[in-house]
Amino acid sequence: KAGVTQTPRYLIKTRGQQVTLSCSPISGHRSVSWYQQTPGQGLQFLFEYFSETQRNKGNFPGRFSGRQFSNSRSEMNVSTLELGDSALYLCASTGTEGSNEQFFGPGTRLTVL
Amino acid sequence: SQQGEEDPQALSIQEGENATMNCSYKTSINNLQWYRQNSGRGLVHLILIRSNEREKHSGRLRVTLDTSKKSSSLLITASRAADTASYFCATLTGNQFYFGTGTSLTVIP
């Protein structure tokens, strides 16, 4: 079974630009969560999608948004990038009910200049 | 914030020694999980302990949970250089995961 994949792996943007990151969960997994990881703040929960609906949302500004497609692939978008958005963005998928284990992708390293 | 705190922040031990790291959290939980992260990469699930369990073992890992103190500990026995990584606890409350701040473990060969 293929693992969680994220594209791109590395990204460099400038302030004010917008970015879209993609995540393909493990086949059969319907829940996808996104996290932002920075040295100062640690792992911060962004949002979770389940069956194309946002089920949970963390405490991030509206510049951060996401969506999930019918094949469970998910994208997150950050508009009007700020320097502080530089981080490792991790996506995780969760399997069927009763299994709470999250399977993480390798992450997308975003650098905002 | 419902984020947990881990202690110590960093730990350095010799190969073969045991490593213990602790996690404290703030709210009631469904379960608590431990993850490992190698530098700059994704997290790997290690072990899950449910709120009605007190101790769990998996290979060289031993996890305890004290819900009255809202704390958990992860013990890695007979450590190896390959155990060098950051370790995070994560609590599941409702449908949302909350991660701790992490413990950076260095195992010296």
Side-chain angles (χ1 to χ4, degrees):
Chain A
K1 221 180 209 184
V4 178
T5 58
Q6 291 187 246
T7 57
R9 292 293 311 280
Y10 302 91
L11 205 48
I12 299 176
K13 292 285 188 179
T14 56
R15 278 182 300 174
Q17 288 187 308
Q18 75 165 18
V19 67
T20 299
L21 312 181
S22 180
C23 170
S24 292
I26 291 173
S27 177
H29 286 192
R30 292 193 293 165
S31 169
V32 174
S33 297
W34 289 90
Y35 296 87
Q36 180 196 65
Q37 187 177 30
T38 59
Q41 298 296 318
L43 269 156
Q44 301 280 314
F45 172 75
L46 281 155
F47 27 65
E48 183 219 359
Y49 285 87
F50 181 84
S51 294
E52 302 179 65
T53 301
Q54 188 180 85
R55 188 160 69 170
N56 286 296
K57 188 177 188 304
N59 192 26
F60 276 80
R63 299 186 297 108
F64 292 82
S65 63
R67 59 177 175 169
Q68 187 179 33
F69 301 94
S70 58
N71 62 358
S72 292
R73 189 177 72 85
S74 177
E75 289 181 347
M76 68 161 279
N77 184 276
V78 188
S79 62
T80 319
L81 284 166
E82 301 176 359
L83 295 178
D85 297 333
S86 293
L88 180 67
Y89 289 88
L90 293 163
C91 141
S93 72
T94 306
T96 54
E97 280 77 0
S99 168
N100 297 135
E101 177 183 347
Q102 291 198 305
F103 295 83
F104 281 82
T108 294
R109 173 73 63 184
L110 171 65
T111 302
V112 181
L113 302 175
Chain B
S1 168
Q2 292 177 290
Q3 191 174 36
E5 294 288 330
E6 282 166 88
D7 169 57
Q9 284 190 318
L11 181 60
S12 184
I13 59 174
Q14 296 288 329
E15 202 166 31
E17 293 181 336
N18 296 341
T20 299
M21 51 205 86
N22 305 295
C23 164
S24 61
Y25 57 91
K26 298 179 181 179
T27 64
S28 60
I29 60 172
N30 304 104
N31 63 57
L32 185 143
Q33 304 176 39
W34 285 89
Y35 288 80
R36 184 187 74 224
Q37 183 181 35
N38 290 93
S39 181
R41 300 188 62 82
L43 280 73
V44 174
H45 182 265
L46 295 175
I47 192 166
L48 178 153
I49 186 165
R50 301 188 191 286
S51 58
N52 61 353
E53 297 176 313
R54 291 297 167 259
E55 187 171 313
K56 202 159 183 182
H57 297 255
S58 177
R60 294 184 296 114
L61 305 180
R62 173 178 166 250
V63 170
T64 62
L65 178 65
D66 186 336
T67 53
S68 66
K69 294 180 180 178
K70 291 188 169 56
S71 67
S72 174
S73 67
L74 171 68
L75 169 67
I76 303 173
T77 60
S79 63
R80 306 166 181 167
D83 294 330
T84 295
S86 291
Y87 292 81
F88 295 87
C89 66
T91 55
L92 178 65
T93 301
N95 286 320
Q96 190 162 327
F97 282 91
Y98 297 91
F99 280 83
T101 50
T103 292
S104 176
L105 173 65
T106 301
V107 181
I108 303 166

